[in-house]
Amino acid sequence: MILYLSIIPLLLGGVSLILNQRTKITIVLTFTSLLTSIVILLFNIGKNFEMVIGNWGTLGISIGYDEFALPFLLAVIVVLSAITLNSLQKSYDGFFYALITLLLGSLNAVFITRDLFNVYVSFELASIIGFILIAYGRKGKQIWATVKYMLISALGFNFYLIGIGLVYMKSGTFSFSALDYMDKLPAVLIFTGLSVKSGLFLLSMWLPDAHANAITEVSPILSGLMVKIEDYLVIRFLQYGSFQWLRNFYLVIGTFSAVAGVLFAMNAKKAKDVLAYHTFSQIGFIIAASNMAAAWHAFSHAVFKGLLFMTAGNIKERLGTQKIQEWKGKINIKEYIPLLVGSAAIMGTPLTSGFVTKNGIMDSISGPAKYFLVVASIGTVISFSKLIFVGVSKEKMKLRWNMWLAYGIMVAAVFIHGIIGFDTHHTLDALIMIATGIPLFFMLKKFLNPLPRIFERLDNALILYLLLFGIMLTFVLE
Amino acid sequence: MISDMVIYTSLIGAFLGTLGMLLTSNLIKKILALGIVETSVTLFFTAISSKGGTRAPIIPSLPIENVHFADPIPQAVIITSIVIGFAILSLLLTFTIMLHNRYHTVDIDLIEGMLEGEEE
């Protein structure tokens, strides 16, 4: 049953690829596969099982479903529905919708599989679709961002393959359960191999370029869904014995990423750059905690960051620029409200989803890391004040129904999640953080200038990644 | 043992390929170095499958005699990764052609320099 979550979209995606000349049919097929995913997910909520396909024993591919997968599967459905709605009436061809349908299938496959090699196949399928989507606009910057992303991530995935080869050599199976009794070396290879796509600062420096330059509909997918795959796998693998010792490392690198990402974002001037750097910081929060609260933060981050990227992309398409300076006084109220809701959620304002999940993460972390995360939260408020105080124009603007619906789905998801999970005991902390952040923004405004992007050059990104890989290997030698 | 030797050889190959990706600024050569890493990983999996023996895993006659077959699972699995590696390499080369058409060079330092000056 749960298997159809990935088989139906993949099948319909294949059909859409053949029929890509008929855009309407491909759109219908995309919505059909989204609807079937919702129905299958509804049937499985609350269950917890693991099974093997076919009668092959430990050699078969094991799949399963439990509460850890739910936030991620929900995020896939919400983000993909919203961006598909947003893309209607924008002259995308059938090929685009075929890719979206295939992406839905491969993302669902990653989140239900319990087989190391199957993770590789479905993750790579999702990534290859991602590569094509980033370069979809065929601009020089987009193509270069894709090439950078591909070279680094393909190298990382070879390390992952060596890691699972070692697992197979010792246990004779690719099932996740083999990870219970492995040495440190396969764990390091598997983590660093996948972390190249995780969106952690230092490990995936290709990210700002790719996320900021992709077209409107693709940035939400990249930031909301593609980087979440590795977060899901980090959280999942922590359940197995051989990854437990990495937990402290996750705390350190996650906190570092949270602070460094905010530092770059505060200084950035272009809207999509700000959002891309904030991906570093929010992924840092998720990896630092790596528990159930973090899984739900992945969901809320996918939704509000998707909303922000989509709104920023639509404004950029209308005004022709993404410099926040030039947006002043030109933004319509209908675009400002989604922007405000998204910013409020990422700041952790009460009654939004960001508040609920960020508090969950803060509660589960103790020690000095907590102070750094508070600093990162205040930095988030400072950098999003840029978007909040952008100034609204009085001009009338007609918003098409599909955009209403796209914004509506995401705004509703932010508020429903925020109201269901609302809890008064951190309200004051959140309000204090916002109250300190906004005055700080007006004080620091003059000193904020874009930081050099030297780490994001291909060679430097590669060296940083390999350096961190080397440091991880020294843990094994001890 | 031959399979251990092959494992070490393949790891050295992966290391050299990684070094190659770092040391050249030519995009095509970087992609070729990536190809070396991918081939080394394929060799690594082949070496794993030959741990128990090197005979092709085909049963000639029943009942099965106790001969040393190679393990077919890593071989079956690595075929998928060869296909994926091929897809990645060809996509990379396609993008390289598109970049070359636009900037008339495959040197990454030159391309990055030109892109930094380019406004959107």
Side-chain angles (χ1 to χ4, degrees):
Chain A
M1 178 67 181
I2 190 87
L3 187 61
Y4 293 107
L5 208 54
S6 82
I7 284 190
I8 290 176
L10 285 178
L11 213 68
L12 293 182
V15 174
S16 328
L17 268 186
I18 297 167
L19 298 174
N20 72 63
Q21 300 296 325
R22 304 178 179 211
T23 312
K24 282 209 174 112
I25 296 179
T26 58
I27 294 174
V28 170
L29 287 178
T30 305
F31 281 113
T32 319
S33 45
L34 279 167
L35 275 178
T36 37
S37 298
I38 294 173
V39 172
I40 295 172
L41 196 57
L42 280 179
F43 273 110
N44 282 293
I45 280 182
K47 288 185 189 166
N48 187 352
F49 59 90
E50 187 168 349
M51 61 183 198
V52 178
I53 306 170
N55 296 320
W56 299 99
T58 50
L59 292 180
I61 295 172
S62 37
I63 58 168
Y65 169 85
D66 62 7
E67 52 173 0
F68 281 107
L70 176 67
F72 296 93
L73 290 169
L74 270 180
V76 171
I77 289 171
V78 172
V79 173
L80 284 186
S81 319
I83 65 116
T84 316
L85 279 169
N86 191 56
S87 70
L88 299 177
Q89 304 179 14
K90 265 194 187 174
S91 74
Y92 283 105
D93 53 5
F95 185 58
F96 177 80
Y97 294 103
L99 287 181
I100 298 282
T101 321
L102 285 172
L103 185 66
L104 173 66
S106 46
L107 284 169
N108 282 343
V110 181
F111 296 137
I112 59 171
T113 186
R114 297 287 163 83
D115 181 276
L116 286 168
F117 197 79
N118 213 18
V119 165
Y120 168 74
V121 173
S122 31
F123 200 166
E124 271 298 32
L125 179 55
S127 313
I128 290 174
I129 296 169
F131 300 146
I132 301 173
L133 284 175
I134 297 172
Y136 205 78
R138 306 237 168 91
K139 295 207 179 90
K141 271 192 173 176
Q142 292 170 341
I143 296 171
W144 178 244
T146 317
V147 168
K148 208 155 70 170
Y149 181 8
M150 284 178 84
L151 274 174
I152 301 176
S153 73
L155 183 66
F157 261 52
N158 283 306
F159 297 144
Y160 173 78
L161 277 178
I162 295 177
I164 64 171
L166 291 174
V167 171
Y168 184 85
M169 207 151 78
K170 199 162 177 207
S171 67
T173 170
F174 284 117
S175 167
F176 279 10
S177 50
L179 293 173
D180 263 334
Y181 41 87
M182 284 295 140
D183 311 330
K184 285 179 169 182
L185 184 60
V188 164
L189 283 166
I190 288 175
F191 170 69
T192 40
L194 292 172
S195 67
V196 70
K197 295 188 189 178
S198 67
L200 280 170
F201 200 78
L202 295 186
L203 281 164
S204 29
M205 292 310 293
W206 51 265
L207 183 145
D209 246 10
H211 287 204
N213 289 319
I215 51 175
T216 311
E217 273 73 23
V218 177
S219 299
I221 297 179
L222 294 174
S223 179
L225 306 178
M226 301 295 285
V227 299
K228 295 296 166 0
I229 303 175
E230 158 66 355
D231 300 338
Y232 165 75
L233 291 172
V234 162
I235 297 170
R236 165 74 62 201
F237 286 159
L238 268 178
Q239 296 172 347
Y240 299 97
S242 54
F243 277 81
Q244 293 294 343
W245 65 279
L246 275 166
R247 192 177 266 283
N248 285 329
F249 178 76
Y250 290 159
L251 186 65
V252 173
I253 188 124
T255 316
F256 176 72
S257 180
V259 177
V262 159
L263 199 65
F264 274 80
M266 263 164 43
N267 289 287
K269 292 274 182 210
K270 290 178 186 167
K272 277 180 131 184
D273 279 352
V274 173
L275 297 177
Y277 283 121
H278 268 291
T279 309
F280 280 140
S281 130
Q282 298 295 317
I283 297 297
F285 277 91
I286 295 169
I287 298 282
S290 291
N291 52 13
M292 198 59 212
W296 278 104
H297 191 63
F299 167 72
S300 63
H301 175 250
V303 175
F304 61 64
K305 187 55 77 61
L307 179 67
L308 284 166
F309 259 125
M310 204 169 76
T311 322
N314 284 338
I315 297 174
K316 185 198 163 195
E317 274 174 25
R318 193 167 67 86
L319 298 177
T321 172
Q322 55 163 318
K323 290 198 179 99
I324 301 175
Q325 200 69 36
E326 293 171 24
W327 283 6
K328 278 216 157 75
K330 287 182 187 164
I331 292 185
N332 194 276
I333 186 84
K334 285 169 190 159
E335 292 163 336
Y336 181 69
I337 288 173
L339 208 60
L340 186 67
V341 172
S343 310
I346 200 171
M347 286 175 184
T349 319
L351 290 179
T352 58
S353 59
F355 172 74
V356 178
T357 51
K358 209 180 245 185
N359 286 335
I361 286 178
M362 288 295 193
D363 284 341
S364 63
I365 287 175
S366 53
K370 199 164 181 171
Y371 300 107
F372 286 108
L373 289 186
V374 169
V375 170
S377 301
I378 295 176
T380 310
V381 178
I382 296 177
S383 84
F384 273 91
S385 301
K386 270 184 291 209
L387 285 174
I388 288 181
F389 297 106
V390 77
V392 181
S393 80
K394 296 258 160 39
E395 266 176 76
K396 284 247 162 71
M397 190 187 95
K398 203 168 174 302
L399 208 58
R400 284 192 301 268
W401 65 269
N402 53 336
M403 289 195 178
W404 270 112
L405 217 55
Y407 288 141
I409 289 176
M410 287 193 158
V411 171
V414 166
F415 279 120
I416 292 172
H417 186 183
I419 290 168
I420 289 177
F422 184 69
D423 177 3
T424 46
H425 92 282
H426 276 299
T427 320
L428 199 64
D429 303 359
L431 292 177
I432 289 174
M433 271 184 218
I434 294 170
T436 37
I438 291 175
L440 271 176
F441 164 69
F442 285 106
M443 268 155 38
L444 293 174
K445 208 158 86 174
K446 285 184 202 122
F447 306 105
L448 298 179
N449 272 315
L451 295 177
R453 313 187 65 147
I454 188 150
F455 292 137
E456 291 159 36
R457 289 177 152 244
L458 173 59
D459 277 346
N460 298 346
L462 205 59
I463 289 171
L464 275 178
Y465 173 64
L466 290 174
L467 212 63
L468 223 76
F469 181 45
I471 293 172
M472 296 279 294
L473 281 182
T474 58
F475 291 155
V476 181
L477 295 178
E478 279 177 44
Chain B
M1 192 66 190
I2 184 87
S3 108
D4 283 335
M5 256 175 68
V6 178
I7 285 180
Y8 288 120
T9 318
S10 67
L11 291 181
I12 292 170
F15 176 71
L16 290 179
T18 314
L19 267 189
M21 278 183 79
L22 274 179
L23 294 180
T24 172
S25 67
N26 185 317
L27 194 50
I28 304 255
K29 283 184 186 166
K30 265 190 199 298
I31 296 169
L32 288 180
L34 181 64
I36 293 174
V37 180
E38 275 172 4
T39 316
S40 307
V41 172
T42 313
L43 184 63
F44 177 68
F45 270 73
T46 323
I48 292 173
S49 80
S50 70
K51 278 233 145 192
T54 46
R55 281 190 60 147
I58 301 166
I59 300 168
S61 62
L62 286 170
I64 309 169
E65 295 148 35
N66 191 13
V67 280
H68 297 293
F69 288 124
D71 186 354
I73 302 289
Q75 297 182 0
V77 145
I78 205 63
I79 283 179
T80 322
S81 110
I82 292 172
V83 174
I84 291 175
F86 165 74
I88 299 253
L89 286 189
S90 40
L91 203 55
L92 266 171
L93 288 170
T94 315
F95 287 136
T96 311
I97 294 171
M98 287 162 94
L99 282 174
H100 187 266
N101 283 346
R102 212 153 294 199
Y103 301 107
H104 307 289
T105 173
V106 286
D107 188 295
I108 60 155
D109 296 325
L110 290 178
I111 294 177
E112 278 181 332
M114 278 185 235
L115 277 167
E116 265 164 30
E118 192 177 276
E119 275 297 300
E120 32 181 314

